[in-house]
Amino acid sequence: MQRKIFIIIAISTLFGLLMFGGCGGNDTGETSFDGVLSFTGSSTLAPTISQIADTFKNEYGTWDQVDDSLPETDIQINVSTGGSGVGAKGVIEGTVHFGMLARDARDEEIEEIDDFREYKLGMDALMVAVHKDNTLAQKRVDLNTEEIRSIFSDEIKFWNEFDPDLSDGEVILLVRDVGGGAHGVFQDAIMGDVEVSADAIEVPSMPGLVERLIDNPLSIGYASYGVADQHREEITAFKVDGIEPSAENILEGTYSIARPLILVRSGDLSPAEEAFLDYIKSEKGTEILREMGFLPSS
Amino acid sequence: MKQKIIDKIFTVTVKALTVTSVLILIFIIIFIVQESMVFFSQVFPLDFLLGRDWRPMSQPPRVGLLPILTATLALSGLALLMALPAGIGCSLFLSQVCPLKLRRKIRPFIDVLAGIPSVVYGFVGVVLLLPTLERLFNLSSGDSLLAGGIVLAVMILPFLIATITESMENTTGKHIITSKSMGVSRWYMIRHLVLPASRVGILAGAILGTARAMGETMAVIMVVGNSPLMPVSIWQRVKPIPSLIALEMGSAPLGTLHYHALYAAGLVLLLMLLLINMVFYYIRKKIEG
């Protein structure tokens, strides 16, 4: 008898949980401000935002120091990562204030976010780079889109298939995950409909990728401007279709392999959000963006 | 009277906690099944399991799990193959040969091996193991099934040793006095008494190790190269299921085929582990019964 009741309770609890799981998620969280701002999304943007948040916190401490109209609560800014997709997902589900995206928002994401807003912070460019001792680096400074495409596709397996003068070693491709922002930019700008070779090594992070590039003279990969810039001595980045991956060219949009860094949210900014966003765009904020190797848009 | 009430409260709390933990497990399984069902309503399960191409972002998307599934099996198989002989040898030494004093000093070190964060194993793998493999075997890149197998073998070794040593110690306790009084040599006892009697312990260690190896993510992601290729040789770069999910979940847009395919891959991993555990219980029953 007791056992039966026990089972009934267990099953009803389970159904209860399932039903709660089904609804919810439409909270906008705008009712009252508790001093917390949350960001989630791109792992490219996250370290930058949390560093800006730290300096912001150190400078003001509590929100009323930022603006008199804000409550006297401690500033708390939570930054979590998971990729651009997670950033957009967080805004769609209403679990975060801002989504961090290292790509333009996709049409279906814009559609699903009510009252979509985006704030452009800067650009992140990808450089096609090799180890400085790679034979290709000694022979060429410029690659065109077709050449890069042939190297990254199944077409070329050994360096000397690209040019007989090059080493006879295997081409080691270094890429990020196929669904990620970086790969998306590369796919759109260079590959088009052609698939990147299945032989490519998928590295879980951008610094990890550059580290591999520095370790292996046979490798070629796409490295973000920021990370590649920190290792100028050890790697060689190519011009793409004759255009140098320089700051001006990237910001002007002439250099093709680049992606925007944006924040997305739904609806108007609250005063606290506006204050923090202004701080990101202030001199201190852009300085940090630059330090992290990105190109601030202002 | 008062004691009785306290007992009652204690019983109810413990029961509630037990039910909660079981519910959490059920809830996780239901959630994964629910998310994968969306996928299986669009893709036939056999096409998923036997498809040889993983290109979730191409048009049209191809989501074949075969290279990834076989890589998972090959990786944990290889790890077990390397770790099991070493584990049995270690356990024999610890339980039969090693003096008690030394044993007490060695055991903590082996236990510490189990506590090292997996990312540290991965890091050591990238910095030490990959360049060594490249030099030794003249490879263009050290990322390979072999590298993953070696890292995993080291990682599951402490689990193997702990389980096997325990069962060997038990059987030794049972037979040592008889053996000594009969005058049989130590090696005869190991060969004909300890090893056969530790079968279940060895099996249990192997199962535990395989389960751990199959689910290990971070250390593996760093050394296997993550290319979705069939594991046709140990030099091949591979992408096992946990790496697949960890690498692609963050960027798979909510509700897409890619997103649900990753849940389906998770379900396959879960079912494989359940199956392995069931086989383990079956075999143990056979041996013991």
PDB file of all heavy atoms in Angstrom, chain A residues 37 39 52 56 60 63 66-67 98 119-121 263 269-287 289 298:
ATOM      1  N   LEU A  37      23.853  42.240 -14.515  1.00  0.00           N
ATOM      2  CA  LEU A  37      23.735  42.196 -15.973  1.00  0.00           C
ATOM      3  C   LEU A  37      24.365  40.889 -16.431  1.00  0.00           C
ATOM      4  O   LEU A  37      25.409  40.491 -15.925  1.00  0.00           O
ATOM      5  CB  LEU A  37      24.512  43.353 -16.619  1.00  0.00           C
ATOM      6  CG  LEU A  37      23.947  44.770 -16.515  1.00  0.00           C
ATOM      7  CD1 LEU A  37      24.799  45.706 -17.358  1.00  0.00           C
ATOM      8  CD2 LEU A  37      22.511  44.805 -16.990  1.00  0.00           C
ATOM      9  N   PHE A  39      25.698  38.352 -19.655  1.00  0.00           N
ATOM     10  CA  PHE A  39      26.115  38.212 -21.051  1.00  0.00           C
ATOM     11  C   PHE A  39      26.404  36.743 -21.304  1.00  0.00           C
ATOM     12  O   PHE A  39      26.967  36.067 -20.456  1.00  0.00           O
ATOM     13  CB  PHE A  39      27.421  38.972 -21.305  1.00  0.00           C
ATOM     14  CG  PHE A  39      27.277  40.471 -21.295  1.00  0.00           C
ATOM     15  CD1 PHE A  39      27.184  41.156 -20.104  1.00  0.00           C
ATOM     16  CD2 PHE A  39      27.256  41.174 -22.489  1.00  0.00           C
ATOM     17  CE1 PHE A  39      27.071  42.540 -20.087  1.00  0.00           C
ATOM     18  CE2 PHE A  39      27.142  42.550 -22.485  1.00  0.00           C
ATOM     19  CZ  PHE A  39      27.042  43.235 -21.288  1.00  0.00           C
ATOM     20  N   ILE A  52      36.313  44.287 -19.437  1.00  0.00           N
ATOM     21  CA  ILE A  52      35.704  45.617 -19.372  1.00  0.00           C
ATOM     22  C   ILE A  52      34.797  45.703 -18.145  1.00  0.00           C
ATOM     23  O   ILE A  52      34.789  46.703 -17.419  1.00  0.00           O
ATOM     24  CB  ILE A  52      34.917  45.921 -20.670  1.00  0.00           C
ATOM     25  CG1 ILE A  52      35.868  45.973 -21.866  1.00  0.00           C
ATOM     26  CG2 ILE A  52      34.167  47.239 -20.545  1.00  0.00           C
ATOM     27  CD1 ILE A  52      35.195  46.170 -23.208  1.00  0.00           C
ATOM     28  N   PHE A  56      35.059  48.343 -15.046  1.00  0.00           N
ATOM     29  CA  PHE A  56      33.832  49.099 -14.754  1.00  0.00           C
ATOM     30  C   PHE A  56      33.478  48.962 -13.278  1.00  0.00           C
ATOM     31  O   PHE A  56      33.193  49.935 -12.586  1.00  0.00           O
ATOM     32  CB  PHE A  56      32.716  48.545 -15.641  1.00  0.00           C
ATOM     33  CG  PHE A  56      31.405  49.273 -15.544  1.00  0.00           C
ATOM     34  CD1 PHE A  56      31.261  50.556 -16.053  1.00  0.00           C
ATOM     35  CD2 PHE A  56      30.299  48.652 -14.972  1.00  0.00           C
ATOM     36  CE1 PHE A  56      30.036  51.216 -15.984  1.00  0.00           C
ATOM     37  CE2 PHE A  56      29.077  49.303 -14.903  1.00  0.00           C
ATOM     38  CZ  PHE A  56      28.950  50.593 -15.421  1.00  0.00           C
ATOM     39  N   TYR A  60      33.473  51.977 -10.345  1.00  0.00           N
ATOM     40  CA  TYR A  60      32.251  52.494  -9.721  1.00  0.00           C
ATOM     41  C   TYR A  60      31.818  51.741  -8.461  1.00  0.00           C
ATOM     42  O   TYR A  60      31.301  52.353  -7.539  1.00  0.00           O
ATOM     43  CB  TYR A  60      31.099  52.497 -10.736  1.00  0.00           C
ATOM     44  CG  TYR A  60      31.346  53.412 -11.895  1.00  0.00           C
ATOM     45  CD1 TYR A  60      31.636  52.903 -13.162  1.00  0.00           C
ATOM     46  CD2 TYR A  60      31.305  54.801 -11.736  1.00  0.00           C
ATOM     47  CE1 TYR A  60      31.873  53.746 -14.230  1.00  0.00           C
ATOM     48  CE2 TYR A  60      31.539  55.650 -12.805  1.00  0.00           C
ATOM     49  CZ  TYR A  60      31.817  55.118 -14.053  1.00  0.00           C
ATOM     50  OH  TYR A  60      32.053  55.951 -15.112  1.00  0.00           O
ATOM     51  N   TRP A  63      25.931  50.654  -8.409  1.00  0.00           N
ATOM     52  CA  TRP A  63      25.271  51.258  -9.561  1.00  0.00           C
ATOM     53  C   TRP A  63      24.948  52.741  -9.357  1.00  0.00           C
ATOM     54  O   TRP A  63      24.976  53.520 -10.299  1.00  0.00           O
ATOM     55  CB  TRP A  63      23.989  50.496  -9.915  1.00  0.00           C
ATOM     56  CG  TRP A  63      24.253  49.218 -10.625  1.00  0.00           C
ATOM     57  CD1 TRP A  63      24.153  47.966 -10.111  1.00  0.00           C
ATOM     58  CD2 TRP A  63      24.675  49.052 -11.987  1.00  0.00           C
ATOM     59  NE1 TRP A  63      24.491  47.032 -11.058  1.00  0.00           N
ATOM     60  CE2 TRP A  63      24.812  47.662 -12.220  1.00  0.00           C
ATOM     61  CE3 TRP A  63      24.960  49.940 -13.037  1.00  0.00           C
ATOM     62  CZ2 TRP A  63      25.216  47.151 -13.447  1.00  0.00           C
ATOM     63  CZ3 TRP A  63      25.354  49.417 -14.258  1.00  0.00           C
ATOM     64  CH2 TRP A  63      25.486  48.041 -14.445  1.00  0.00           C
ATOM     65  N   VAL A  66      27.346  55.106 -10.711  1.00  0.00           N
ATOM     66  CA  VAL A  66      27.336  55.284 -12.162  1.00  0.00           C
ATOM     67  C   VAL A  66      26.322  56.355 -12.529  1.00  0.00           C
ATOM     68  O   VAL A  66      26.586  57.274 -13.302  1.00  0.00           O
ATOM     69  CB  VAL A  66      26.961  53.969 -12.881  1.00  0.00           C
ATOM     70  CG1 VAL A  66      27.031  54.139 -14.379  1.00  0.00           C
ATOM     71  CG2 VAL A  66      27.868  52.840 -12.414  1.00  0.00           C
ATOM     72  N   ASP A  67      25.134  56.230 -11.935  1.00  0.00           N
ATOM     73  CA  ASP A  67      24.050  57.158 -12.244  1.00  0.00           C
ATOM     74  C   ASP A  67      23.143  57.258 -11.012  1.00  0.00           C
ATOM     75  O   ASP A  67      22.801  56.234 -10.418  1.00  0.00           O
ATOM     76  CB  ASP A  67      23.264  56.622 -13.446  1.00  0.00           C
ATOM     77  CG  ASP A  67      22.279  57.650 -13.984  1.00  0.00           C
ATOM     78  OD1 ASP A  67      21.463  58.183 -13.198  1.00  0.00           O
ATOM     79  OD2 ASP A  67      22.325  57.913 -15.196  1.00  0.00           O
ATOM     80  N   PHE A  98      22.236  40.260 -22.600  1.00  0.00           N
ATOM     81  CA  PHE A  98      22.886  40.461 -23.893  1.00  0.00           C
ATOM     82  C   PHE A  98      23.433  39.145 -24.431  1.00  0.00           C
ATOM     83  O   PHE A  98      23.956  38.337 -23.664  1.00  0.00           O
ATOM     84  CB  PHE A  98      24.072  41.423 -23.761  1.00  0.00           C
ATOM     85  CG  PHE A  98      23.688  42.853 -23.541  1.00  0.00           C
ATOM     86  CD1 PHE A  98      23.668  43.369 -22.260  1.00  0.00           C
ATOM     87  CD2 PHE A  98      23.336  43.658 -24.604  1.00  0.00           C
ATOM     88  CE1 PHE A  98      23.316  44.701 -22.055  1.00  0.00           C
ATOM     89  CE2 PHE A  98      22.985  44.989 -24.408  1.00  0.00           C
ATOM     90  CZ  PHE A  98      22.969  45.505 -23.124  1.00  0.00           C
ATOM     91  N   TYR A 119      24.285  45.987 -31.299  1.00  0.00           N
ATOM     92  CA  TYR A 119      25.259  47.048 -31.049  1.00  0.00           C
ATOM     93  C   TYR A 119      26.616  46.557 -31.527  1.00  0.00           C
ATOM     94  O   TYR A 119      27.141  45.568 -31.021  1.00  0.00           O
ATOM     95  CB  TYR A 119      25.289  47.372 -29.553  1.00  0.00           C
ATOM     96  CG  TYR A 119      23.914  47.691 -29.026  1.00  0.00           C
ATOM     97  CD1 TYR A 119      23.118  46.681 -28.481  1.00  0.00           C
ATOM     98  CD2 TYR A 119      23.396  48.974 -29.121  1.00  0.00           C
ATOM     99  CE1 TYR A 119      21.837  46.950 -28.045  1.00  0.00           C
ATOM    100  CE2 TYR A 119      22.113  49.252 -28.685  1.00  0.00           C
ATOM    101  CZ  TYR A 119      21.340  48.239 -28.147  1.00  0.00           C
ATOM    102  OH  TYR A 119      20.068  48.498 -27.731  1.00  0.00           O
ATOM    103  N   LYS A 120      27.166  47.230 -32.528  1.00  0.00           N
ATOM    104  CA  LYS A 120      28.429  46.794 -33.120  1.00  0.00           C
ATOM    105  C   LYS A 120      29.601  47.284 -32.276  1.00  0.00           C
ATOM    106  O   LYS A 120      29.682  48.465 -31.959  1.00  0.00           O
ATOM    107  CB  LYS A 120      28.540  47.363 -34.536  1.00  0.00           C
ATOM    108  CG  LYS A 120      29.471  46.568 -35.408  1.00  0.00           C
ATOM    109  CD  LYS A 120      29.247  46.884 -36.886  1.00  0.00           C
ATOM    110  CE  LYS A 120      28.958  45.618 -37.658  1.00  0.00           C
ATOM    111  NZ  LYS A 120      28.435  45.820 -38.990  1.00  0.00           N
ATOM    112  N   LEU A 121      30.481  46.377 -31.877  1.00  0.00           N
ATOM    113  CA  LEU A 121      31.611  46.770 -31.047  1.00  0.00           C
ATOM    114  C   LEU A 121      32.897  46.889 -31.852  1.00  0.00           C
ATOM    115  O   LEU A 121      33.748  47.711 -31.561  1.00  0.00           O
ATOM    116  CB  LEU A 121      31.836  45.756 -29.925  1.00  0.00           C
ATOM    117  CG  LEU A 121      30.658  45.504 -28.994  1.00  0.00           C
ATOM    118  CD1 LEU A 121      31.062  44.531 -27.906  1.00  0.00           C
ATOM    119  CD2 LEU A 121      30.150  46.796 -28.388  1.00  0.00           C
ATOM    120  N   LEU A 263      26.763  42.888 -29.943  1.00  0.00           N
ATOM    121  CA  LEU A 263      25.917  42.485 -28.826  1.00  0.00           C
ATOM    122  C   LEU A 263      24.484  42.539 -29.328  1.00  0.00           C
ATOM    123  O   LEU A 263      24.103  43.477 -30.022  1.00  0.00           O
ATOM    124  CB  LEU A 263      26.083  43.447 -27.649  1.00  0.00           C
ATOM    125  CG  LEU A 263      27.445  43.492 -26.965  1.00  0.00           C
ATOM    126  CD1 LEU A 263      27.454  44.539 -25.871  1.00  0.00           C
ATOM    127  CD2 LEU A 263      27.796  42.125 -26.382  1.00  0.00           C
ATOM    128  N   LEU A 269      17.053  49.481 -24.053  1.00  0.00           N
ATOM    129  CA  LEU A 269      18.037  49.356 -22.990  1.00  0.00           C
ATOM    130  C   LEU A 269      17.486  49.945 -21.696  1.00  0.00           C
ATOM    131  O   LEU A 269      16.822  50.969 -21.705  1.00  0.00           O
ATOM    132  CB  LEU A 269      19.303  50.127 -23.375  1.00  0.00           C
ATOM    133  CG  LEU A 269      20.102  49.598 -24.558  1.00  0.00           C
ATOM    134  CD1 LEU A 269      21.171  50.615 -24.920  1.00  0.00           C
ATOM    135  CD2 LEU A 269      20.739  48.274 -24.206  1.00  0.00           C
ATOM    136  N   SER A 270      17.802  49.274 -20.580  1.00  0.00           N
ATOM    137  CA  SER A 270      17.506  49.876 -19.280  1.00  0.00           C
ATOM    138  C   SER A 270      18.628  50.879 -19.000  1.00  0.00           C
ATOM    139  O   SER A 270      19.682  50.819 -19.633  1.00  0.00           O
ATOM    140  CB  SER A 270      17.460  48.797 -18.206  1.00  0.00           C
ATOM    141  OG  SER A 270      18.757  48.336 -17.936  1.00  0.00           O
ATOM    142  N   PRO A 271      18.443  51.818 -18.045  1.00  0.00           N
ATOM    143  CA  PRO A 271      19.500  52.794 -17.770  1.00  0.00           C
ATOM    144  C   PRO A 271      20.835  52.141 -17.422  1.00  0.00           C
ATOM    145  O   PRO A 271      21.891  52.612 -17.875  1.00  0.00           O
ATOM    146  CB  PRO A 271      18.953  53.578 -16.563  1.00  0.00           C
ATOM    147  CG  PRO A 271      17.481  53.412 -16.634  1.00  0.00           C
ATOM    148  CD  PRO A 271      17.230  52.075 -17.261  1.00  0.00           C
ATOM    149  N   ALA A 272      20.796  51.063 -16.641  1.00  0.00           N
ATOM    150  CA  ALA A 272      22.048  50.401 -16.258  1.00  0.00           C
ATOM    151  C   ALA A 272      22.744  49.814 -17.483  1.00  0.00           C
ATOM    152  O   ALA A 272      23.961  49.927 -17.653  1.00  0.00           O
ATOM    153  CB  ALA A 272      21.768  49.307 -15.238  1.00  0.00           C
ATOM    154  N   GLU A 273      21.957  49.195 -18.362  1.00  0.00           N
ATOM    155  CA  GLU A 273      22.534  48.597 -19.569  1.00  0.00           C
ATOM    156  C   GLU A 273      23.144  49.676 -20.457  1.00  0.00           C
ATOM    157  O   GLU A 273      24.223  49.508 -21.022  1.00  0.00           O
ATOM    158  CB  GLU A 273      21.451  47.839 -20.342  1.00  0.00           C
ATOM    159  CG  GLU A 273      21.006  46.574 -19.641  1.00  0.00           C
ATOM    160  CD  GLU A 273      19.718  46.006 -20.206  1.00  0.00           C
ATOM    161  OE1 GLU A 273      19.069  46.686 -21.032  1.00  0.00           O
ATOM    162  OE2 GLU A 273      19.357  44.899 -19.825  1.00  0.00           O
ATOM    163  N   GLU A 274      22.442  50.798 -20.548  1.00  0.00           N
ATOM    164  CA  GLU A 274      22.930  51.882 -21.378  1.00  0.00           C
ATOM    165  C   GLU A 274      24.253  52.411 -20.829  1.00  0.00           C
ATOM    166  O   GLU A 274      25.193  52.677 -21.583  1.00  0.00           O
ATOM    167  CB  GLU A 274      21.892  52.998 -21.432  1.00  0.00           C
ATOM    168  CG  GLU A 274      22.202  53.986 -22.522  1.00  0.00           C
ATOM    169  CD  GLU A 274      20.988  54.803 -22.932  1.00  0.00           C
ATOM    170  OE1 GLU A 274      19.943  54.682 -22.256  1.00  0.00           O
ATOM    171  OE2 GLU A 274      21.101  55.547 -23.907  1.00  0.00           O
ATOM    172  N   ALA A 275      24.329  52.531 -19.497  1.00  0.00           N
ATOM    173  CA  ALA A 275      25.557  53.034 -18.870  1.00  0.00           C
ATOM    174  C   ALA A 275      26.729  52.118 -19.179  1.00  0.00           C
ATOM    175  O   ALA A 275      27.822  52.570 -19.539  1.00  0.00           O
ATOM    176  CB  ALA A 275      25.360  53.153 -17.366  1.00  0.00           C
ATOM    177  N   PHE A 276      26.512  50.798 -19.085  1.00  0.00           N
ATOM    178  CA  PHE A 276      27.603  49.867 -19.338  1.00  0.00           C
ATOM    179  C   PHE A 276      27.995  49.856 -20.814  1.00  0.00           C
ATOM    180  O   PHE A 276      29.170  49.785 -21.161  1.00  0.00           O
ATOM    181  CB  PHE A 276      27.230  48.459 -18.864  1.00  0.00           C
ATOM    182  CG  PHE A 276      28.356  47.475 -19.013  1.00  0.00           C
ATOM    183  CD1 PHE A 276      29.556  47.665 -18.348  1.00  0.00           C
ATOM    184  CD2 PHE A 276      28.236  46.363 -19.838  1.00  0.00           C
ATOM    185  CE1 PHE A 276      30.614  46.773 -18.495  1.00  0.00           C
ATOM    186  CE2 PHE A 276      29.276  45.466 -20.003  1.00  0.00           C
ATOM    187  CZ  PHE A 276      30.469  45.674 -19.325  1.00  0.00           C
ATOM    188  N   LEU A 277      26.987  49.954 -21.673  1.00  0.00           N
ATOM    189  CA  LEU A 277      27.263  49.966 -23.110  1.00  0.00           C
ATOM    190  C   LEU A 277      28.078  51.195 -23.494  1.00  0.00           C
ATOM    191  O   LEU A 277      29.019  51.122 -24.296  1.00  0.00           O
ATOM    192  CB  LEU A 277      25.926  49.951 -23.871  1.00  0.00           C
ATOM    193  CG  LEU A 277      25.926  49.162 -25.166  1.00  0.00           C
ATOM    194  CD1 LEU A 277      26.316  47.727 -24.923  1.00  0.00           C
ATOM    195  CD2 LEU A 277      24.547  49.222 -25.808  1.00  0.00           C
ATOM    196  N   ASP A 278      27.735  52.342 -22.881  1.00  0.00           N
ATOM    197  CA  ASP A 278      28.503  53.567 -23.117  1.00  0.00           C
ATOM    198  C   ASP A 278      29.951  53.374 -22.675  1.00  0.00           C
ATOM    199  O   ASP A 278      30.874  53.860 -23.330  1.00  0.00           O
ATOM    200  CB  ASP A 278      27.890  54.740 -22.338  1.00  0.00           C
ATOM    201  CG  ASP A 278      26.637  55.248 -23.025  1.00  0.00           C
ATOM    202  OD1 ASP A 278      26.434  54.898 -24.206  1.00  0.00           O
ATOM    203  OD2 ASP A 278      25.849  55.977 -22.375  1.00  0.00           O
ATOM    204  N   TYR A 279      30.111  52.653 -21.562  1.00  0.00           N
ATOM    205  CA  TYR A 279      31.457  52.420 -21.043  1.00  0.00           C
ATOM    206  C   TYR A 279      32.268  51.565 -22.018  1.00  0.00           C
ATOM    207  O   TYR A 279      33.451  51.807 -22.246  1.00  0.00           O
ATOM    208  CB  TYR A 279      31.370  51.744 -19.673  1.00  0.00           C
ATOM    209  CG  TYR A 279      32.688  51.710 -18.937  1.00  0.00           C
ATOM    210  CD1 TYR A 279      33.146  52.812 -18.219  1.00  0.00           C
ATOM    211  CD2 TYR A 279      33.489  50.567 -18.964  1.00  0.00           C
ATOM    212  CE1 TYR A 279      34.358  52.787 -17.552  1.00  0.00           C
ATOM    213  CE2 TYR A 279      34.697  50.530 -18.288  1.00  0.00           C
ATOM    214  CZ  TYR A 279      35.127  51.642 -17.585  1.00  0.00           C
ATOM    215  OH  TYR A 279      36.326  51.614 -16.930  1.00  0.00           O
ATOM    216  N   ILE A 280      31.613  50.555 -22.592  1.00  0.00           N
ATOM    217  CA  ILE A 280      32.312  49.710 -23.574  1.00  0.00           C
ATOM    218  C   ILE A 280      32.796  50.555 -24.748  1.00  0.00           C
ATOM    219  O   ILE A 280      33.889  50.369 -25.271  1.00  0.00           O
ATOM    220  CB  ILE A 280      31.393  48.575 -24.091  1.00  0.00           C
ATOM    221  CG1 ILE A 280      30.996  47.646 -22.955  1.00  0.00           C
ATOM    222  CG2 ILE A 280      32.078  47.775 -25.196  1.00  0.00           C
ATOM    223  CD1 ILE A 280      30.052  46.535 -23.365  1.00  0.00           C
ATOM    224  N   LYS A 281      31.972  51.523 -25.146  1.00  0.00           N
ATOM    225  CA  LYS A 281      32.319  52.346 -26.305  1.00  0.00           C
ATOM    226  C   LYS A 281      33.227  53.517 -25.944  1.00  0.00           C
ATOM    227  O   LYS A 281      33.704  54.224 -26.829  1.00  0.00           O
ATOM    228  CB  LYS A 281      31.044  52.846 -26.971  1.00  0.00           C
ATOM    229  CG  LYS A 281      30.301  51.703 -27.658  1.00  0.00           C
ATOM    230  CD  LYS A 281      29.096  52.176 -28.410  1.00  0.00           C
ATOM    231  CE  LYS A 281      28.544  51.048 -29.256  1.00  0.00           C
ATOM    232  NZ  LYS A 281      27.234  51.375 -29.822  1.00  0.00           N
ATOM    233  N   SER A 282      33.458  53.726 -24.638  1.00  0.00           N
ATOM    234  CA  SER A 282      34.330  54.821 -24.209  1.00  0.00           C
ATOM    235  C   SER A 282      35.784  54.464 -24.512  1.00  0.00           C
ATOM    236  O   SER A 282      36.091  53.352 -24.969  1.00  0.00           O
ATOM    237  CB  SER A 282      34.172  55.065 -22.710  1.00  0.00           C
ATOM    238  OG  SER A 282      34.831  54.026 -22.006  1.00  0.00           O
ATOM    239  N   GLU A 283      36.677  55.398 -24.231  1.00  0.00           N
ATOM    240  CA  GLU A 283      38.090  55.185 -24.525  1.00  0.00           C
ATOM    241  C   GLU A 283      38.631  53.948 -23.807  1.00  0.00           C
ATOM    242  O   GLU A 283      39.389  53.168 -24.369  1.00  0.00           O
ATOM    243  CB  GLU A 283      38.878  56.414 -24.104  1.00  0.00           C
ATOM    244  CG  GLU A 283      40.139  56.604 -24.913  1.00  0.00           C
ATOM    245  CD  GLU A 283      40.522  58.066 -24.957  1.00  0.00           C
ATOM    246  OE1 GLU A 283      39.788  58.865 -25.571  1.00  0.00           O
ATOM    247  OE2 GLU A 283      41.532  58.392 -24.346  1.00  0.00           O
ATOM    248  N   LYS A 284      38.213  53.791 -22.536  1.00  0.00           N
ATOM    249  CA  LYS A 284      38.711  52.662 -21.753  1.00  0.00           C
ATOM    250  C   LYS A 284      38.266  51.335 -22.350  1.00  0.00           C
ATOM    251  O   LYS A 284      39.031  50.376 -22.423  1.00  0.00           O
ATOM    252  CB  LYS A 284      38.219  52.764 -20.311  1.00  0.00           C
ATOM    253  CG  LYS A 284      39.062  53.722 -19.505  1.00  0.00           C
ATOM    254  CD  LYS A 284      38.568  53.836 -18.078  1.00  0.00           C
ATOM    255  CE  LYS A 284      39.344  54.901 -17.353  1.00  0.00           C
ATOM    256  NZ  LYS A 284      38.510  55.682 -16.455  1.00  0.00           N
ATOM    257  N   GLY A 285      37.015  51.298 -22.777  1.00  0.00           N
ATOM    258  CA  GLY A 285      36.477  50.071 -23.362  1.00  0.00           C
ATOM    259  C   GLY A 285      37.177  49.716 -24.660  1.00  0.00           C
ATOM    260  O   GLY A 285      37.615  48.573 -24.855  1.00  0.00           O
ATOM    261  N   THR A 286      37.324  50.703 -25.551  1.00  0.00           N
ATOM    262  CA  THR A 286      37.951  50.413 -26.840  1.00  0.00           C
ATOM    263  C   THR A 286      39.423  50.040 -26.662  1.00  0.00           C
ATOM    264  O   THR A 286      39.951  49.228 -27.405  1.00  0.00           O
ATOM    265  CB  THR A 286      37.849  51.618 -27.806  1.00  0.00           C
ATOM    266  OG1 THR A 286      38.250  52.784 -27.108  1.00  0.00           O
ATOM    267  CG2 THR A 286      36.453  51.786 -28.324  1.00  0.00           C
ATOM    268  N   GLU A 287      40.046  50.628 -25.631  1.00  0.00           N
ATOM    269  CA  GLU A 287      41.433  50.289 -25.338  1.00  0.00           C
ATOM    270  C   GLU A 287      41.556  48.791 -25.025  1.00  0.00           C
ATOM    271  O   GLU A 287      42.460  48.107 -25.506  1.00  0.00           O
ATOM    272  CB  GLU A 287      41.909  51.142 -24.160  1.00  0.00           C
ATOM    273  CG  GLU A 287      43.359  50.926 -23.745  1.00  0.00           C
ATOM    274  CD  GLU A 287      44.336  51.159 -24.882  1.00  0.00           C
ATOM    275  OE1 GLU A 287      44.100  52.077 -25.684  1.00  0.00           O
ATOM    276  OE2 GLU A 287      45.319  50.405 -24.973  1.00  0.00           O
ATOM    277  N   LEU A 289      39.402  46.432 -25.931  1.00  0.00           N
ATOM    278  CA  LEU A 289      39.124  45.701 -27.179  1.00  0.00           C
ATOM    279  C   LEU A 289      40.401  45.590 -28.013  1.00  0.00           C
ATOM    280  O   LEU A 289      40.718  44.541 -28.561  1.00  0.00           O
ATOM    281  CB  LEU A 289      38.066  46.439 -28.000  1.00  0.00           C
ATOM    282  CG  LEU A 289      36.616  46.052 -27.768  1.00  0.00           C
ATOM    283  CD1 LEU A 289      35.691  47.081 -28.399  1.00  0.00           C
ATOM    284  CD2 LEU A 289      36.322  44.678 -28.368  1.00  0.00           C
ATOM    285  N   SER A 298      34.804  52.239 -33.409  1.00  0.00           N
ATOM    286  CA  SER A 298      34.855  53.705 -33.341  1.00  0.00           C
ATOM    287  C   SER A 298      36.280  54.177 -33.084  1.00  0.00           C
ATOM    288  O   SER A 298      37.069  53.464 -32.521  1.00  0.00           O
ATOM    289  CB  SER A 298      33.940  54.206 -32.241  1.00  0.00           C
ATOM    290  OG  SER A 298      34.164  53.479 -31.063  1.00  0.00           O
TER     291      SER A 298
END
